[in-house]
Amino acid sequence: TGQVAELFPHVPVFSRHPFRVGGEENRFKDEIRREPLKITDEPMPVATVSKTYSLIQHRDILASVFRALKMIHIDISGVESSLLLSGYGERMHWSCAIPNMDFDPGDGHALVLRINSLNSVDTSTVLEITFSWYRLICSNGMMFGLKDSQLRRRHIQSLDPEDIAGYLKEQLDQLPKEKSLYATWFNTTVEPPGLGGWIDEEVAKKWGPHAAARVWNIINAGFDGEVEQVRNLKPHQLPITSRNAVPGACAPVRNLFHVSQALSWIAGTRNTIPERLEYVKTIPQLMEPLTKVGETARGQ
């Protein structure tokens, strides 16, 4: 963690070379090497890629995003950010809070808007630049808003800061709608016993029965744990060994916002960053049936 200028020198640089042994060269593949960060280091091979693959440097992404934010009058130079790198640095996830965008949906725990950049030089993940919300209670939960349009998981084709700035501004223009949605969720009451059908149908269908059972346990008891293998039971009936108290669960939940946070918790426990983002982007879709029910109830 640190300011982006402090983290920048720790981001590795990569180079591309023919994939060969002696005088024999592979006609279809190139080799990607990590260049030395220290004078005592040696280049390290990290991957083979297609001849048509476009190598995009982690450093170029950070520099372009930094400049793009400045173009739309957002200065993150003094803000602490986090950098995650895989063992050889071939995969990177960088994240930074956006100043003055905090939002309290109503429970006293602010949501902080963060920008995320995900990249790899070994084809394992696509380049993504996205916004997400973090709940300021043990960093519980990342969430997108509003039905997750394609723009929320976008493979940026150009690193031109002007192109990225346009994309970021487009996303930021949606913030008022997102804040309104979260406030609506907070003010929409629910009774946990009435969510069993939603757990068994919607959540289990997208995330599987075990994840659905964990969501059920969080919204009712506020604990996460291991799901026991029992046949012929619906997901919300599966027994769980409760071990971990979920921060900010507010169990048993009484509104849709805290239901969404149970989903966010499960998404945040996935093993890899791409998988977490993949789960996160489905949260608005999972919440949509409950939102519609809430709207119908308010209309009556």
Side-chain angles (χ1 to χ4, degrees):
T1 60
Q3 296 176 6
V4 65
E6 297 170 339
L7 297 179
F8 197 80
H10 297 282
V11 178
V13 175
F14 299 87
S15 57
R16 186 173 195 148
H17 304 268
F19 185 38
R20 60 158 52 117
V21 175
E24 294 295 321
E25 179 179 334
N26 190 305
R27 293 185 295 120
F28 306 104
K29 297 284 188 179
D30 280 342
E31 180 184 79
I32 303 296
R33 297 177 188 170
R34 185 192 66 195
E35 292 301 307
L37 280 174
K38 301 176 182 177
I39 197 171
T40 55
D41 291 344
E42 295 289 338
M44 172 64 69
V46 298
T48 57
V49 298
S50 165
K51 292 282 189 184
T52 61
Y53 176 70
S54 296
L55 173 63
I56 300 177
Q57 299 283 351
H58 301 331
R59 290 189 177 193
D60 291 343
I61 297 169
L62 293 189
S64 294
V65 170
F66 182 85
R67 293 178 186 132
L69 287 170
K70 293 199 78 171
M71 286 180 178
I72 55 176
H73 310 295
I74 296 175
D75 185 3
I76 61 167
S77 57
V79 181
E80 185 175 271
S81 60
S82 65
L83 176 70
L84 299 176
L85 294 167
S86 55
Y88 292 119
E90 67 274 25
R91 292 185 298 280
M92 175 203 74
H93 178 259
W94 172 80
S95 177
C96 181
I98 302 297
N100 305 316
M101 296 289 183
D102 299 7
F103 166 62
D104 181 357
D107 64 357
H109 298 297
L111 295 177
V112 174
L113 187 69
R114 297 185 71 90
I115 188 167
N116 305 276
S117 296
L118 183 69
N119 189 50
S120 73
V121 298
D122 64 354
T123 75
S124 59
T125 65
V126 297
L127 163 59
E128 294 182 276
I129 299 173
T130 56
F131 284 114
S132 63
W133 291 102
Y134 276 77
R135 193 177 181 211
L136 279 187
I137 177 167
C138 297
S139 296
N140 173 19
M142 304 181 294
M143 53 195 308
F144 297 133
L146 294 182
K147 301 181 182 177
D148 192 355
S149 69
Q150 221 20 56
L151 290 173
R152 297 190 172 279
R153 190 176 186 276
R154 180 172 173 177
H155 186 172
I156 305 298
Q157 298 294 336
S158 168
L159 283 185
D160 186 327
E162 288 192 7
D163 291 343
I164 296 176
Y167 161 67
L168 297 181
K169 186 178 184 306
E170 185 179 335
Q171 296 294 287
L172 291 172
D173 286 345
Q174 298 187 52
L175 290 189
K177 280 177 96 173
E178 292 199 359
K179 291 178 179 180
S180 176
L181 177 64
Y182 299 149
T184 298
W185 285 354
F186 189 83
N187 291 312
T188 302
T189 59
V190 294
E191 295 294 332
L195 297 174
W198 172 72
I199 289 288
D200 296 339
E201 295 296 327
E202 302 292 338
V203 183
K205 181 179 179 180
K206 281 204 177 286
W207 288 2
H210 281 203
R214 291 167 62 197
V215 172
W216 176 256
N217 204 57
I218 292 169
I219 64 179
N220 281 277
F223 282 82
D224 192 10
E226 295 184 5
V227 182
E228 297 182 23
Q229 299 278 4
V230 180
R231 292 184 178 181
N232 303 320
L233 290 182
K234 294 182 178 180
H236 85 276
Q237 297 172 328
L238 291 173
I240 287 185
T241 304
S242 297
R243 294 182 177 179
N244 304 315
V246 175
C250 301
V253 299
R254 290 289 180 259
N255 62 61
L256 287 186
F257 179 74
H258 290 138
V259 173
S260 77
Q261 288 304 288
L263 297 173
S264 293
W265 172 266
I266 298 299
T269 62
R270 304 307 299 175
N271 290 331
T272 68
I273 295 292
E275 192 178 14
R276 291 175 197 173
L277 293 175
E278 193 68 25
Y279 267 63
V280 160
K281 74 171 186 172
T282 65
I283 291 175
Q285 300 168 19
L286 288 172
M287 291 295 297
E288 192 167 359
L290 300 181
T291 305
K292 289 180 177 178
V293 170
E295 290 172 348
T296 301
R298 287 194 301 277
Q300 295 173 348

